[in-house]
Amino acid sequence: MIEDKNKVDVLLRLTTLLQIVYFLINVIAICAQGLFITTAELITVSFIACSILAAFFWWHKPCDVLSPETIEIDVSTEDLYKLTNPESTYRWELTPLDWVSREEWWWAKVWWNYMHILRGMGFSFGSDTKLIDRISDTFQGPLPSREQYMLLVVTTGCFIIFFLAWNHDFPTRTESVFWRAVCTVLMSMLYVDLIISEFIQAYPELQKRTESWNLRSPSPSTTRWGKIRMPSCLSVLDSPKPKAVTDRIGKALEKIRNNSPNKDPSLRLPLRIILPMYFLAVVYWICRGYILVEDAIELRILPGSAYATVQWSSLWPHFG
């Protein structure tokens, strides 16, 4: 049984939750007494919102299960594959049972693309073996619209906590302006992602309509007088040199579409998706990087109340 190999029990999970709740209560008490709260504490509160939800949904998720259970069958996985796909060649990327289902949420595929970039920079994530020894936490099947909107609400709540520091007493006016700009950009990006997600879901239907329209429309290369002749000045495109350049550009673009080590076909993404997501990723990490820097440099100048402790007896007199 998987539960028998679970390395995390209920006591450990409860201890973690108690620590999180204690910190949250302490921050609320600091605000109630009018004491100074740092941006680092505020950002921690936003992480707590995600942590509590993750703890709720992962309460029964086994952790660090390292001992596998071997299941022996009388037929090979390749033979099973041929029963359902007799015309195609058997191939797998993560596990020999890839053919059962490799459907993933489009955002999970984008995340895989990001991770492969970091792998190319020397960072290691997950399993580096051909036969993976664990399923990544980022692996996510197609996410229905209802769950996507639930995720949007939760993320919006986390980002709203950043806005609580809108009138925060920053050391300089410039830091205050940067913080407000970063909060606004992060919240805007969240809804840009929503628009992209809706477009991706509607894209197959739009593509079908476009193809149907193209079938009813005349070919752009022909007219009522016959074929359109290509201008002689464009014949240079047929020369070997531009073709070689075009091939190199095509290979580079294909590497962007699918940068997985083994060119896993299920991880291929259209440029119209991955290029905007690259831009959003760069902007996002710049914003988050500034937040981390601000959390640190704010500590250089703090008011005296930042060092004061909560007087619990003033909140609950019977504690005194």
Side-chain angles (χ1 to χ4, degrees):
M1 296 292 292
I2 293 180
E3 187 62 31
D4 295 337
K5 301 177 175 63
N6 187 10
K7 305 299 189 299
V8 177
D9 56 10
V10 175
L11 179 60
L12 181 58
R13 297 181 194 271
L14 285 176
T15 303
T16 303
L17 279 178
L18 286 175
Q19 291 174 329
I20 291 174
V21 172
Y22 170 75
F23 178 85
L24 186 59
I25 293 175
N26 196 64
V27 170
I28 294 174
I30 289 174
C31 295
Q33 293 192 346
L35 303 178
F36 186 85
I37 181 171
T38 64
T39 56
E41 292 171 318
L42 199 61
I43 297 303
T44 304
V45 171
S46 69
F47 290 154
I48 284 176
C50 296
S51 299
I52 292 178
L53 285 172
F56 174 77
F57 288 109
W58 285 4
W59 188 264
H60 298 288
K61 180 181 179 181
C63 180
D64 295 336
V65 178
L66 302 178
S67 302
E69 290 286 349
T70 303
I71 300 176
E72 297 183 359
I73 57 178
D74 297 330
V75 62
S76 67
T77 53
E78 184 173 358
D79 291 336
L80 289 175
Y81 174 81
K82 290 181 178 179
L83 289 175
T84 55
N85 303 273
E87 303 299 329
S88 57
T89 305
Y90 176 68
R91 176 184 174 180
W92 59 273
E93 296 294 338
L94 301 179
T95 74
L97 295 177
D98 278 352
W99 56 273
V100 175
S101 176
R102 275 300 304 278
E103 272 195 288
E104 292 189 61
W105 186 28
W106 72 270
W107 174 249
K109 294 183 180 182
V110 172
W111 189 259
W112 277 111
N113 194 287
Y114 293 161
M115 294 299 101
H116 290 141
I117 292 175
L118 294 177
R119 283 176 182 270
M121 298 170 61
F123 298 96
S124 180
F125 297 91
S127 177
D128 294 323
T129 60
K130 170 68 174 177
L131 180 61
I132 61 172
D133 52 12
R134 63 182 292 269
I135 299 296
S136 173
D137 293 335
T138 58
F139 181 86
Q140 174 64 52
L143 202 63
S145 297
R146 185 183 66 177
E147 280 74 5
Q148 290 190 43
Y149 282 105
M150 290 175 60
L151 183 61
L152 176 69
V153 171
V154 172
T155 311
T156 300
C158 293
F159 284 169
I160 285 176
I161 295 176
F162 295 177
F163 281 88
L164 297 179
W166 189 268
N167 295 317
H168 186 70
D169 186 16
F170 288 96
T172 65
R173 172 65 178 172
T174 302
E175 292 174 52
S176 177
V177 172
F178 278 178
W179 183 274
R180 294 177 180 181
V182 164
C183 291
T184 304
V185 170
L186 287 175
M187 186 65 77
S188 301
M189 287 177 57
L190 182 61
Y191 289 88
V192 170
D193 283 341
L194 175 64
I195 294 172
I196 294 176
S197 179
E198 293 295 331
F199 169 76
I200 291 172
Q201 291 184 350
Y203 178 73
E205 183 62 28
L206 293 174
Q207 192 175 32
K208 290 180 181 179
R209 293 184 181 181
T210 303
E211 291 174 354
S212 176
W213 181 82
N214 289 336
L215 290 176
R216 295 195 300 267
S217 303
S219 173
S221 61
T222 62
T223 66
R224 57 187 295 185
W225 296 282
K227 293 184 178 180
I228 299 176
R229 295 178 59 86
M230 180 181 292
S232 58
C233 60
L234 298 181
S235 61
V236 68
L237 295 177
D238 295 330
S239 61
K241 186 175 180 180
K243 187 176 185 303
V245 174
T246 304
D247 289 344
R248 285 197 293 270
I249 294 175
K251 290 179 181 179
L253 294 177
E254 185 58 33
K255 191 172 183 179
I256 293 174
R257 293 186 186 97
N258 188 352
N259 62 353
S260 58
N262 300 318
K263 300 300 178 185
D264 186 349
S266 64
L267 296 180
R268 190 177 187 273
L269 287 166
L271 290 176
R272 64 177 63 90
I273 294 177
I274 194 61
L275 291 181
M277 295 308 296
Y278 279 168
F279 172 76
L280 293 177
V282 172
V283 175
Y284 176 81
W285 285 113
I286 290 175
C287 293
R288 293 307 297 261
Y290 173 77
I291 288 176
L292 291 176
V293 171
E294 180 58 38
D295 289 345
I297 64 177
E298 184 195 28
L299 301 178
R300 73 189 190 276
I301 303 177
L302 292 177
S305 63
Y307 303 97
T309 57
V310 176
Q311 300 298 319
W312 294 104
S313 59
S314 64
L315 297 175
W316 290 285
H318 58 278
F319 278 7

